[in-house]
Amino acid sequence: MMVTTRQRLRTAAVVTFVAAFVGPLGTLRATRQLQSPPESPLTLWYRQPANEWVEALPIGNGRLAGMVFGGIEHERLQLNEDTLWAGGPYDPANPQALDALPIARRLIFAGKYGEAHALVADKMLGRPVRQMPFQPVGDLLLTFPAAVNVDGYRRELDLDTAVARVTYGADGVRFVREVLSSPVDQVIAIRLTADRPGRINVTAGMSTPQDATIAIEDGRTIVMRGVNAESQGIKGALRFEARVRVVAQGGAVSSDKASIAVTGADSVTLLLAAATSYRSFKDVTGDPRALTTSQLAGAGAKSFDALLQAHVAEHRRLFRRVALDLGSSEAAGRATDERIRDFTRRGDPQLAALYFQFGRYLLISSSRPGSQPANLQGDWNDQMKPPWESKYTININTEMNYWPAESTNLSELVEPLTRLVLDLVETGARTARVQYGARGWVAHHNTDLWRASAPVDGPASGMWPTGGAWLCQTLWEHFEYTRDRAYLARIYPALKGASEFFLDTLVEEPAHKWLVTVPSASPENRHQFNNTTLTAGPAMDMQILRDLFTNTIRAAEILSVDRPLRDELAATRARLAPSQIGKAGQLQEWLEDWDMEVPDLHHRHVSHLYALYPSAQITVRGTPALAAAARKSLEIRGDNATGWGLGWRLNLWARLHDGEHAYTILERLLSPERTYPNMFDAHPPFQIDGNFGGTAGIAEMLLQSHGGEVELLPALPKAWPSGAVSGLRARGGLEVALTWKDGALTAAFVRALAGQTVRLRYRDVMRTVNLAAGQTYQW
Ligand code: FUC
């Protein structure tokens, strides 16, 4: 008999003790009465304000994001708008690359990797050699009077409502602060209330690291107006504006040059709008003033309760599609930071479920139709020079961000990535033409707001032409899950153009006459020669191109177009270098069997295992010898990696049907070394991909759908003996609910969104069922 989370929480709610701490953001010295845990188990919560940024709680509507610190006397709401990046429209394609290309190829085939590296560095990288950073808007700062006799402090983020809340008592009054970023009304709304009238006193101001001015308009609106920064010689071309309207219920409102003060109010509502002049990667003629003014006018016409209701309803429409119960324990009643600290030691299945749902929450909050895709930090960044520019790294990280989108029923959130790829079809065509003399389009290992597509950073990471092709696979997955033919027609030019680029640039390698990419790399993993990654035909490239060509052929068939192209792609696919098993029994990462001689055997990237996950070219049942080799490679790489490195390994072990090993990886991911107190993934530093890889991995442990089968509980670990999940999606347009007990399936419901024949598997039992659209099969 399982004890429900709610029951556990009730037991834990009676704890009281005296804790002493001093935070720089408030004078909270002694909390006499500990807050009981929040009602909803899907809540992150803390007994103290955030001190570090990675303790603050993220909110976002896909576009407008904030980090809530929850200080008692000083609230800091750190703000991002997802089009506020440095620079302006630019084209980094380097015309010198074309002449250098054949030389680089000859050098690589001759084993002169050092010379090739020097040539690429000199002639083939984009100009500028780095891309533009994503940057913060600034902070909204709320100052409250000195608080005395503080008790019952709690700071929380309710994943089910997408509202951050701070509650505490001071001098006998209970204060509540609620913060949300509404996808409906396009504003951040903050409400300050107290349980006694006339007790809200607050001063609101803003600060920013940007080149901006801050002023007060009409006595009740703070206006920050600025221009974005230059970077790498690319001048800032954006204008941006943020507006904060302060509305007091009761009390008095006054303002000085840059702040607004409210005294003696019953409650206060603050509405914040922010926008830039970005319209697309080539159009910066938007009007941030008009946008923010109309957003404030729209939101200002509604009550906070009306904003809240619309916000919660829209959030729940997506969030509530999936419910996951992995069981619970006493630990579930404790504060989130304490639980992360103790996850491995105590076992805490509900924390794994919370982590899973937090990943879904983050995707809903950072990627919605009309917004930019989730970048390396989702939408949350407080630095002008963030790690790796907080951009789109497309040699694993951006793809990983979208791994949970389909399987955890958030399909429409892929839309921003679809649009990014369609932009790259245009910018990447320039790079293909100028640097390779090729048709189609290409993107290398990074892109940014301006859809830059040339190789950047340096030869070792940048000289990899397969980033765009991998992104195409993410779009193809959207079709696989939805079978949306109109979507397929929309993305077909991307698939076709990416394929054409490789038809024009694949080269026959001298030893076996296979067709290979060159110059290229197995992302970021240096081989043993000349301290470089540069090579020809790394396994990952061959795998990605096998998928790309196969998908393009199938798309052309479904759409009844391009017959000759299909034949050409099939013929070219047959000549790609095959998967090879090396002398250690491993899946070879390169054309040659170098794997055991490389400087870093435990490298974080596991690029050559792309074929096992996210692709399904290698499967345990379909290709057992290759699956065994992939397993060997994974063992050689080892279990220690960056946050996203663990996220990938988690999915790989799930695909190998090894639930116990997958679970040990999850334990590493959910440890304080890889998860910050606010549950953000630690590369370290913070990088959001590990969160998304973790969410996808948990789904993959419970349900898989590839190789023509839907498999129930393929990698269930002992740590989750009983549980239930509903709303997971499987390829083909299926929705699945499962329950299990004592480690065995008790029931499954499989609903077909479109009529089809489904092959269902649980362990060794296979059932083939014919389902009409809307019909549910019960196992
Ligand atoms: C890739 C990785 C790094 C980091 C960066 C953003 O280059 O190799 O670990 O995640 O992306």
Side-chain angles (χ1 to χ4, degrees):
M1 175 72 198
M2 255 185 339
V3 180
T4 65
T5 308
R6 195 56 65 77
Q7 282 165 326
R8 291 290 187 196
L9 294 183
R10 255 186 241 123
T11 330
V14 288
V15 190
T16 52
F17 78 104
V18 177
F21 51 86
V22 187
L25 299 169
T27 52
L28 179 57
R29 292 225 164 68
T31 298
R32 253 176 223 103
Q33 173 109 46
L34 266 194
Q35 265 285 11
S36 51
E39 266 288 293
S40 164
L42 290 179
T43 302
L44 281 61
W45 71 278
Y46 306 84
R47 304 178 195 281
Q48 67 286 330
N51 186 359
E52 306 289 328
W53 188 85
V54 288
E55 295 169 4
L57 294 171
I59 56 162
N61 65 4
R63 179 185 69 85
L64 183 58
M67 292 290 281
V68 186
F69 280 67
I72 290 178
E73 293 172 3
H74 299 280
E75 175 61 271
R76 174 182 175 204
L77 182 61
Q78 187 265 311
L79 301 163
N80 289 99
E81 202 280 348
D82 72 357
T83 59
L84 186 50
W85 295 54
Y90 72 106
D91 176 9
N94 181 350
Q96 291 186 310
L98 191 56
D99 289 342
L101 182 63
I103 307 168
R105 287 173 171 162
R106 271 202 300 280
L107 289 170
I108 287 169
F109 285 137
K112 296 180 176 171
Y113 303 106
E115 285 172 54
H117 187 99
L119 180 69
V120 170
D122 191 30
K123 303 264 191 245
M124 298 182 75
L125 299 179
R127 299 281 179 261
V129 78
R130 297 189 78 86
Q131 296 179 350
M132 300 298 108
F134 175 52
Q135 296 181 328
V137 172
D139 292 346
L140 171 65
L141 300 166
L142 304 181
T143 309
F144 302 92
V148 287
N149 297 325
V150 172
D151 67 13
Y153 176 92
R154 189 173 77 200
R155 174 170 68 92
E156 70 197 68
L157 176 64
D158 183 344
L159 303 183
D160 184 47
T161 57
V163 176
R165 187 177 281 103
V166 180
T167 52
Y168 58 92
D171 223 6
V173 182
R174 285 215 67 71
F175 293 94
V176 179
R177 198 181 297 160
E178 294 155 289
V179 190
L180 60 89
S181 179
S182 170
V184 181
D185 290 288
Q186 292 298 321
V187 292
I188 289 180
I190 303 165
R191 176 164 65 180
L192 311 173
T193 52
D195 65 357
R196 294 226 235 119
R199 298 301 287 261
I200 307 283
N201 299 295
V202 62
T203 303
M206 296 192 84
S207 72
T208 181
Q210 299 278 0
D211 178 6
T213 58
I214 298 171
I216 303 298
E217 248 179 51
D218 63 30
R220 56 176 193 152
T221 308
I222 310 171
V223 180
M224 181 198 287
R225 192 170 291 146
V227 290
N228 71 328
E230 171 275 347
S231 183
Q232 307 290 324
I234 307 293
K235 274 180 60 183
L238 293 173
R239 291 171 300 118
F240 71 93
E241 196 153 319
R243 296 177 161 259
V244 182
R245 162 103 29 102
V246 181
V247 185
Q249 288 79 40
V253 182
S254 60
S255 62
D256 64 14
K257 269 168 105 177
S259 66
I260 297 176
V262 178
T263 51
D266 301 333
S267 65
V268 173
T269 303
L270 297 104
L271 300 175
L272 185 154
T276 76
S277 55
Y278 183 87
R279 291 164 67 101
S280 78
F281 68 92
K282 54 187 174 182
D283 180 354
V284 292
T285 62
D287 183 347
R289 172 171 210 168
L291 280 168
T292 51
T293 307
S294 83
Q295 285 157 352
L296 274 194
K302 298 186 181 176
S303 67
F304 181 85
D305 282 328
L307 295 172
L308 175 70
Q309 252 183 35
H311 165 76
V312 172
E314 168 55 24
H315 176 71
R316 283 184 173 159
R317 184 180 66 82
L318 300 169
F319 186 75
R320 286 197 164 176
R321 286 176 185 168
V322 176
L324 175 62
D325 179 2
L326 297 175
S328 193
S329 65
E330 169 276 327
R334 303 170 67 216
T336 307
D337 45 353
E338 298 166 21
R339 294 172 70 184
I340 293 166
R341 201 183 55 213
D342 290 346
F343 180 64
T344 313
R345 197 155 47 85
R346 297 166 72 109
D348 184 351
Q350 200 273 335
L351 190 67
L354 186 67
Y355 188 78
F356 168 86
Q357 293 289 22
F358 184 57
R360 297 184 64 247
Y361 168 87
L362 289 174
L363 197 63
I364 295 169
S365 305
S366 61
S367 182
R368 276 175 174 272
S371 82
Q372 293 299 311
N375 64 46
L376 279 177
Q377 299 190 183
D379 263 348
W380 298 276
N381 163 43
D382 67 335
Q383 296 171 46
M384 292 295 276
K385 292 187 174 174
W388 295 286
E389 293 85 29
S390 189
K391 54 190 188 301
Y392 301 103
T393 303
I394 56 176
N395 67 12
I396 172 64
N397 317 82
T398 303
E399 288 88 353
M400 182 175 285
N401 285 0
Y402 287 88
W403 285 353
E406 306 295 343
S407 59
T408 79
N409 215 333
L410 298 171
S411 193
E412 57 269 68
L413 306 187
V414 175
E415 175 60 18
L417 192 74
T418 303
R419 292 182 62 171
L420 176 141
V421 174
L422 296 177
D423 288 349
L424 283 173
V425 172
E426 207 173 318
T427 59
R430 287 195 308 242
T431 304
R433 193 174 61 244
V434 173
Q435 297 213 183
Y436 295 86
R439 292 172 302 158
W441 67 279
V442 63
H444 294 78
H445 92 304
N446 269 264
T447 189
D448 59 12
L449 182 73
W450 311 107
R451 310 314 190 217
S453 54
V456 289
D457 292 355
S461 51
M463 195 60 255
W464 180 70
T466 328
W470 190 354
L471 286 174
C472 284
Q473 178 65 14
T474 308
L475 307 194
W476 175 260
E477 289 285 359
H478 182 77
F479 172 72
E480 282 276 43
Y481 274 86
T482 60
R483 297 291 154 90
D484 178 348
R485 213 189 127 108
Y487 179 81
L488 189 66
R490 201 175 145 218
I491 64 165
Y492 182 68
L495 302 183
K496 179 179 174 180
S499 294
E500 283 173 335
F501 173 80
F502 289 100
L503 288 177
D504 285 4
T505 58
L506 286 170
V507 173
E508 191 179 88
E509 53 84 36
H512 311 85
K513 314 282 180 215
W514 293 326
L515 291 179
V516 296
T517 47
V518 58
S520 188
S522 189
E524 311 203 22
N525 197 9
R526 286 166 206 273
H527 50 65
Q528 64 271 46
F529 309 105
N530 309 107
N531 192 31
T532 188
T533 62
L534 291 186
T535 188
M540 179 187 231
D541 282 4
M542 300 296 100
Q543 297 165 4
I544 290 177
L545 294 189
R546 231 170 265 131
D547 275 346
L548 175 69
F549 292 171
T550 303
N551 299 341
T552 308
I553 293 167
R554 279 193 53 202
E557 280 165 5
I558 295 167
L559 300 171
S560 304
V561 291
D562 290 334
R563 178 86 247 186
L565 177 72
R566 286 184 239 164
D567 296 340
E568 192 184 357
L569 288 173
T572 307
R573 182 179 56 189
R575 295 191 56 204
L576 293 171
S579 298
Q580 302 179 77
I581 298 177
K583 54 180 178 276
Q586 90 288 6
L587 189 71
Q588 253 176 240
E589 185 163 355
W590 293 276
L591 278 183
E592 311 291 330
D593 193 357
W594 292 339
D595 298 42
M596 301 308 290
E597 276 120 61
V598 299
D600 184 3
L601 275 181
H602 309 298
H603 199 262
R604 59 193 182 285
H605 285 261
V606 280
S607 304
H608 52 318
L609 302 185
Y610 165 92
L612 178 63
Y613 186 92
S615 182
Q617 289 170 37
I618 296 180
T619 61
V620 171
R621 290 196 187 82
T623 58
L626 289 173
R631 185 187 185 101
K632 188 78 201 166
S633 289
L634 199 50
E635 285 166 359
I636 294 167
R637 275 300 213 273
D639 290 348
N640 196 16
T642 57
W644 64 258
L646 292 177
W648 201 345
R649 283 159 176 77
L650 176 64
N651 284 280
L652 289 164
W653 282 110
R655 279 284 173 91
L656 289 171
H657 296 170
D658 191 331
E660 292 316 306
H661 207 127
Y663 188 76
T664 61
I665 301 286
L666 181 64
E667 283 187 319
R668 283 174 183 270
L669 185 60
L670 239 175
S671 73
E673 285 75 46
R674 294 291 177 268
T675 297
Y676 290 110
N678 67 356
M679 274 206 162
F680 269 171
D681 167 59
H683 179 290
F686 164 52
Q687 215 172 275
I688 208 159
D689 37 25
N691 286 107
F692 294 132
T695 293
I698 291 169
E700 203 67 21
M701 291 165 80
L702 303 175
L703 181 71
Q704 292 181 18
S705 60
H706 49 77
E709 285 182 15
V710 176
E711 184 160 4
L712 315 173
L713 300 179
L716 186 69
K718 292 203 181 73
W720 304 334
S722 299
V725 66
S726 61
L728 291 182
R729 283 279 175 97
R731 288 177 183 78
L734 299 167
E735 195 162 303
V736 179
L738 304 168
T739 55
W740 66 96
K741 198 168 181 283
D742 302 327
L745 184 75
T746 47
F749 298 86
V750 181
R751 190 165 68 93
L753 306 175
Q756 61 195 284
T757 301
V758 187
R759 291 169 64 212
L760 290 176
R761 174 188 287 278
Y762 175 59
R763 293 183 178 160
D764 291 330
V765 184
M766 276 283 310
R767 291 182 193 169
T768 303
V769 291
N770 292 314
L771 289 175
Q775 201 185 347
T776 300
Y777 174 78
Q778 182 175 356
W779 181 289

